[in-house]
Amino acid sequence: MNLASLTPQAALPSPSTAVWQLGPVPIRAYALCIVAGIVVACLVTEYRLRRRGVAPGAVLDIAVWAVPAGIIGARIYHVITSPGKYFGTGGDPLAAFAIWEGGLGIWGAVAGGAVGAWLAARQLGIPFAVVADALAPGLPLAQAVGRFGNWFNNELYGGRTTLPWGLEIHRMDPDIPGRALRDEAGQPILEPGLYHPTFAYEALWNVGVALLVLAVDRRFRLGRGRAFALYVMGYTAGRFWIELMRTDEATEILGVRLNVWTSVLVFLGALAYFLRARGPREYLVPIPADAPAAVTDGGNVSQRDLSRTETSSDLAAPRGYRVVAEEQFRAYRETGTLPDGPAGTDGPAPEPEPAGGRRGVDSSPDTDAGPRSTDRDS
């Protein structure tokens, strides 16, 4: 025995409770983390959409479609990639619908949420690429917040470690979800040793991805969905090495976890798109509700503007949006006069060439979307 053996090893604690009862209603920490992440993503996306000309409040219309679609997609991905529990020997197919019992896949969440956001964008007359680029830094921040739900659940950790940030893991009670097993003294039972907190690694990595997207987007003024592609590349690069550290049960292909293969394939797809996509950042000006605008491919492109209170014209919701060059967008914000040109909605339209011949070179203005608005971005 020596002094080192008598020194307690530093460790990160884990909660012993992840579910609280509010009468008959269970309050799950994981769900609270997911909701908090959604709020963060909405706030960031709203700010970025308004800087590109979208009316305030549009992110709520998008979230109404994207959030449920993302949850459905996440569940479908989980069931497809872990079919044994539901369709294997002794499995219960009806349990595939028991989403409250856990089991969501981030890949399905992103795919399903993208479909929902695309449908919402068509309804609002906003090019989907504008929505995707606005969401790009907010989504990894939402994932970072959501990952702390895994900390409460004592799950998705890595192998054993002696590092100072090793994580204590409770042995959870299989009969009481969200509660740790207790010994005879009533103390929560810990698994032996300490473990890599892979949920924390991913959370920190995602914050870094968000900062990367913001920095690159600010420097190179990304458009056409390239900011979102950069997020996808950054996230999958981190998920690749973090997934290799995890020790929880997972479907494998050729001895490698399925999510590792998925990370590689999605990274390559995002890289190909990032390299092939071209064009300046899109800016939008509204098509007034009383304008005889031509609607192409669009379906319903109405949108409620939640902020306009000054005049009757401000209260009129736009029929949709038209893509313009940055100089035209800045002039519109300064004068309130819509630029000349054909009206187009629902998807990236050809951008009119500004008088100076240059597109998208200066930083976007700090004023809020729309003329005469009393709100300003900080």
Side-chain angles (χ1 to χ4, degrees):
M1 181 178 298
N2 54 38
L3 182 61
S5 64
L6 296 176
T7 303
Q9 184 177 350
L12 297 176
S14 288
S16 59
T17 302
V19 180
W20 302 272
Q21 290 294 137
L22 185 61
V25 179
I27 306 299
R28 303 178 187 276
Y30 189 89
L32 295 177
C33 292
I34 294 297
V35 171
I38 291 172
V39 171
V40 169
C42 286
L43 290 174
V44 174
T45 305
E46 168 77 358
Y47 174 78
R48 288 169 61 83
L49 282 175
R50 289 170 66 168
R51 288 175 65 86
R52 284 156 178 76
V54 178
V59 71
L60 299 179
D61 297 316
I62 296 170
V64 166
W65 288 81
V67 172
I71 294 174
I72 293 172
R75 186 61 174 179
I76 290 174
Y77 181 87
H78 169 75
V79 172
I80 290 176
T81 57
S82 305
K85 178 180 178 181
Y86 310 102
F87 308 109
T89 303
D92 180 9
L94 292 179
F97 299 96
I99 194 170
W100 56 89
E101 295 181 355
L104 300 173
I106 184 61
W107 310 108
V110 173
V115 172
W118 175 74
L119 291 172
R122 287 179 63 86
Q123 293 287 328
L124 300 172
I126 304 173
F128 178 62
V130 173
V131 175
D133 283 339
L135 177 63
L139 188 52
L141 291 177
Q143 291 174 271
V145 175
R147 273 302 174 204
F148 283 91
N150 303 129
W151 177 55
F152 278 95
N153 286 349
N154 287 251
E155 63 186 1
L156 304 191
Y157 48 87
R160 296 277 290 269
T161 181
T162 58
L163 292 171
W165 54 84
L167 184 69
E168 294 178 342
I169 297 296
H170 291 103
R171 190 170 299 171
M172 304 304 285
D173 192 335
D175 299 323
I176 307 177
R179 299 292 179 90
L181 285 170
R182 306 270 172 170
D183 58 20
E184 295 179 354
Q187 297 299 314
I189 299 175
L190 290 170
E191 297 287 356
L194 302 177
Y195 301 83
H196 280 287
T198 51
F199 77 89
Y201 297 164
E202 185 170 334
L204 292 172
W205 182 272
N206 286 339
V207 172
V209 170
L211 295 176
L212 172 67
V213 172
L214 289 171
V216 175
D217 189 37
R218 181 182 180 89
R219 172 65 178 83
F220 296 103
R221 316 198 57 71
L222 301 176
R224 311 297 183 185
R226 298 179 79 209
F228 189 82
L230 180 61
Y231 146 71
V232 173
M233 287 189 290
Y235 173 72
T236 52
R239 186 63 184 265
F240 176 84
W241 65 267
I242 293 169
E243 193 72 25
L244 292 173
M245 297 181 67
R246 284 171 49 173
T247 58
D248 54 297
E249 183 179 349
T251 302
E252 294 186 353
I253 298 176
L254 300 178
V256 178
R257 295 167 69 95
L258 174 61
N259 284 334
V260 174
W261 292 107
T262 305
S263 296
V264 172
L265 294 176
V266 175
F267 176 88
L268 293 176
L271 176 62
Y273 181 88
F274 185 85
L275 295 176
R276 290 177 61 88
R278 291 290 184 270
R281 178 184 291 173
E282 304 94 329
Y283 291 90
L284 306 178
V285 295
I287 300 171
D290 57 352
V295 179
T296 60
D297 305 341
N300 179 17
V301 293
S302 62
Q303 177 178 355
R304 178 175 298 171
D305 188 333
L306 302 180
S307 72
R308 305 294 176 85
T309 58
E310 291 83 356
T311 67
S312 59
S313 61
D314 283 333
L315 290 173
R319 293 171 57 92
Y321 296 90
R322 179 157 59 88
V323 178
V324 296
E326 183 175 356
E327 287 83 354
Q328 292 175 305
F329 177 68
R330 295 181 62 179
Y332 164 68
R333 281 186 146 177
E334 292 171 359
T335 65
T337 302
L338 291 170
D340 295 330
T345 63
D346 193 52
E351 296 189 21
E353 184 70 19
R358 296 191 307 163
R359 297 182 180 178
V361 292
D362 296 328
S363 60
S364 59
D366 289 333
T367 56
D368 198 357
R372 302 183 300 280
S373 175
T374 57
D375 293 336
R376 289 181 178 270
D377 293 327
S378 59

